[in-house]
Coordinates of all heavy atoms in Angstrom, one line a residue:
D1 N 0.8 -1.2 0.0 CA 0.0 0.0 0.0 C 0.8 1.3 0.0 O 0.5 2.3 -0.6 CB -0.9 0.0 1.2 CG -2.0 -1.0 1.1 OD1 -2.3 -1.5 0.0 OD2 -2.7 -1.3 2.2
A2 N 2.0 1.2 0.7 CA 2.8 2.4 0.8 C 3.7 2.6 -0.5 O 4.0 3.8 -0.8 CB 3.8 2.3 2.0
F3 N 4.0 1.6 -1.2 CA 4.8 1.7 -2.4 C 4.1 1.0 -3.5 O 4.6 -0.1 -4.0 CB 6.2 1.1 -2.1 CG 6.9 1.8 -1.0 CD1 7.0 1.3 0.3 CD2 7.6 3.0 -1.3 CE1 7.6 2.0 1.3 CE2 8.3 3.7 -0.2 CZ 8.3 3.2 1.0
P4 N 3.0 1.6 -4.0 CA 2.3 0.9 -5.1 C 3.0 0.9 -6.4 O 3.6 1.9 -6.8 CB 1.0 1.7 -5.2 CG 1.3 3.0 -4.7 CD 2.4 2.8 -3.6
P5 N 3.1 -0.2 -7.1 CA 3.8 -0.3 -8.4 C 3.2 0.7 -9.4 O 3.9 1.2 -10.3 CB 3.7 -1.7 -8.8 CG 3.4 -2.5 -7.6 CD 2.7 -1.5 -6.7
R6 N 1.9 1.0 -9.4 CA 1.3 1.9 -10.3 C 1.9 3.3 -10.2 O 2.0 4.0 -11.2 CB -0.2 1.9 -10.2 CG -0.7 2.5 -8.9 CD -2.2 2.6 -8.8 NE -2.8 2.7 -7.6 CZ -2.5 3.3 -6.5 NH1 -1.3 3.9 -6.4 NH2 -3.2 3.4 -5.4
R7 N 2.4 3.7 -9.1 CA 3.0 5.0 -8.9 C 4.4 5.0 -9.4 O 4.9 6.0 -10.0 CB 3.0 5.3 -7.4 CG 3.7 6.6 -7.1 CD 3.7 7.0 -5.7 NE 4.5 8.2 -5.4 CZ 5.0 8.5 -4.3 NH1 4.8 7.7 -3.3 NH2 5.8 9.5 -4.2
Y8 N 5.1 3.9 -9.3 CA 6.5 3.9 -9.6 C 6.8 3.2 -11.0 O 7.9 3.2 -11.5 CB 7.3 3.1 -8.6 CG 7.3 3.8 -7.2 CD1 6.4 3.3 -6.2 CD2 8.0 4.9 -7.0 CE1 6.4 3.9 -5.0 CE2 8.0 5.5 -5.8 CZ 7.1 5.1 -4.8 OH 7.1 5.7 -3.6
G9 N 5.7 2.7 -11.6 CA 5.9 2.2 -13.0 C 6.1 0.7 -13.0 O 5.6 0.0 -13.9
K10 N 6.9 0.1 -12.1 CA 7.1 -1.3 -12.1 C 7.5 -1.7 -10.6 O 7.9 -0.9 -9.8 CB 8.1 -1.8 -13.1 CG 9.5 -1.1 -12.9 CD 10.4 -1.6 -14.1 CE 11.8 -1.1 -13.9 NZ 12.7 -1.7 -14.8
V11 N 7.5 -3.0 -10.4 CA 7.7 -3.5 -9.0 C 9.1 -3.2 -8.5 O 9.3 -2.8 -7.4 CB 7.3 -5.0 -8.9 CG1 7.6 -5.5 -7.6 CG2 5.9 -5.2 -9.3
E12 N 10.1 -3.4 -9.4 CA 11.5 -3.2 -9.1 C 11.7 -1.7 -8.6 O 12.5 -1.5 -7.7 CB 12.4 -3.6 -10.2 CG 12.5 -5.0 -10.5 CD 11.4 -5.6 -11.2 OE1 10.6 -4.8 -11.8 OE2 11.2 -6.8 -11.2
S13 N 11.1 -0.8 -9.3 CA 11.2 0.6 -8.8 C 10.6 0.8 -7.5 O 11.1 1.6 -6.7 CB 10.6 1.5 -9.9 OG 11.2 1.4 -11.1
A14 N 9.5 0.2 -7.2 CA 8.8 0.3 -5.9 C 9.7 -0.3 -4.8 O 9.9 0.2 -3.7 CB 7.5 -0.4 -5.9
F15 N 10.4 -1.5 -5.2 CA 11.4 -2.1 -4.2 C 12.5 -1.1 -3.9 O 12.9 -0.9 -2.7 CB 12.0 -3.3 -4.8 CG 11.1 -4.5 -4.9 CD1 11.5 -5.6 -5.6 CD2 9.8 -4.5 -4.3 CE1 10.7 -6.8 -5.7 CE2 9.0 -5.6 -4.4 CZ 9.5 -6.7 -5.1
Y16 N 13.0 -0.4 -4.9 CA 14.1 0.5 -4.7 C 13.7 1.7 -3.8 O 14.4 2.1 -2.9 CB 14.7 1.0 -6.1 CG 15.8 2.0 -6.0 CD1 17.1 1.5 -5.6 CD2 15.6 3.3 -6.2 CE1 18.1 2.4 -5.4 CE2 16.6 4.2 -6.1 CZ 17.9 3.8 -5.7 OH 18.9 4.7 -5.5
E17 N 12.5 2.2 -4.1 CA 12.1 3.4 -3.3 C 11.8 2.9 -1.9 O 12.1 3.7 -0.9 CB 10.8 4.0 -3.9 CG 11.0 4.7 -5.2 CD 12.0 5.9 -5.1 OE1 11.9 6.6 -4.1 OE2 12.8 6.1 -6.0
A18 N 11.2 1.7 -1.7 CA 11.0 1.2 -0.3 C 12.3 1.0 0.4 O 12.5 1.3 1.6 CB 10.2 -0.1 -0.4
H19 N 13.3 0.5 -0.3 CA 14.6 0.3 0.3 C 15.2 1.6 0.7 O 15.7 1.7 1.8 CB 15.5 -0.4 -0.7 CG 17.0 -0.5 -0.3 ND1 17.9 0.3 -0.8 CD2 17.6 -1.3 0.6 CE1 19.1 0.0 -0.2 NE2 18.9 -1.0 0.6
K20 N 15.2 2.6 -0.1 CA 15.7 3.9 0.2 C 15.0 4.5 1.4 O 15.6 5.0 2.3 CB 15.5 4.9 -1.0 CG 16.7 5.0 -1.8 CD 16.6 6.1 -2.9 CE 15.4 6.9 -3.0 NZ 15.4 7.9 -4.1
Y21 N 13.7 4.4 1.4 CA 12.9 5.0 2.5 C 13.1 4.3 3.9 O 13.4 4.9 4.9 CB 11.4 5.0 2.2 CG 10.5 5.6 3.2 CD1 10.3 7.0 3.1 CD2 10.0 4.9 4.3 CE1 9.5 7.6 4.1 CE2 9.2 5.6 5.2 CZ 9.0 6.9 5.1 OH 8.2 7.6 6.1
I22 N 13.1 3.0 3.8 CA 13.1 2.2 5.1 C 14.6 2.1 5.6 O 14.8 2.2 6.8 CB 12.6 0.8 4.9 CG1 11.1 0.9 4.6 CG2 12.8 -0.1 6.1 CD1 10.4 -0.4 4.1
S23 N 15.6 2.0 4.7 CA 17.0 1.9 5.2 C 17.4 3.2 5.9 O 18.3 3.1 6.8 CB 17.9 1.6 4.0 OG 17.9 2.7 3.1
R24 N 16.8 4.3 5.6 CA 17.1 5.6 6.4 C 16.5 5.6 7.8 O 16.9 6.3 8.6 CB 16.6 6.8 5.6 CG 17.5 7.1 4.4 CD 16.9 8.3 3.7 NE 15.8 7.9 2.9 CZ 14.9 8.7 2.4 NH1 14.9 10.0 2.6 NH2 14.0 8.3 1.6
R25 N 15.5 4.7 8.0 CA 14.8 4.8 9.3 C 15.1 3.6 10.2 O 14.5 3.5 11.3 CB 13.3 4.9 9.0 CG 12.9 6.2 8.5 CD 11.6 6.3 7.9 NE 11.2 7.7 7.5 CZ 11.7 8.3 6.4 NH1 12.6 7.7 5.7 NH2 11.3 9.5 6.2
V26 N 15.9 2.6 9.8 CA 16.2 1.5 10.6 C 17.7 1.5 10.9 O 18.5 2.0 10.1 CB 15.8 0.2 10.0 CG1 14.3 0.1 9.9 CG2 16.5 -0.1 8.7
H27 N 18.1 0.9 12.1 CA 19.5 1.0 12.4 C 20.3 -0.2 11.9 O 21.5 -0.2 11.8 CB 19.6 0.9 14.0 CG 19.2 2.2 14.6 ND1 17.9 2.4 14.9 CD2 19.8 3.3 14.9 CE1 17.7 3.7 15.4 NE2 18.9 4.2 15.4
K28 N 19.6 -1.3 11.5 CA 20.3 -2.4 10.9 C 20.4 -2.3 9.4 O 19.8 -1.4 8.8 CB 19.6 -3.7 11.3 CG 18.2 -3.8 10.6 CD 17.6 -5.2 10.9 CE 16.5 -5.5 9.9 NZ 16.1 -6.8 9.9
Q29 N 21.2 -3.2 8.8 CA 21.4 -3.1 7.4 C 20.1 -3.7 6.7 O 19.6 -4.7 7.1 CB 22.5 -4.0 6.9 CG 22.8 -4.0 5.4 CD 23.9 -4.9 5.0 OE1 24.5 -5.6 5.9 NE2 24.3 -4.9 3.8

């Protein structure tokens, strides 16, 4: 719901945006 593929064009782009967003907010890798 937070990273819908329709917004990013494809699933891999949604993965990348989710990775960028979440990795800034967690302490682990």
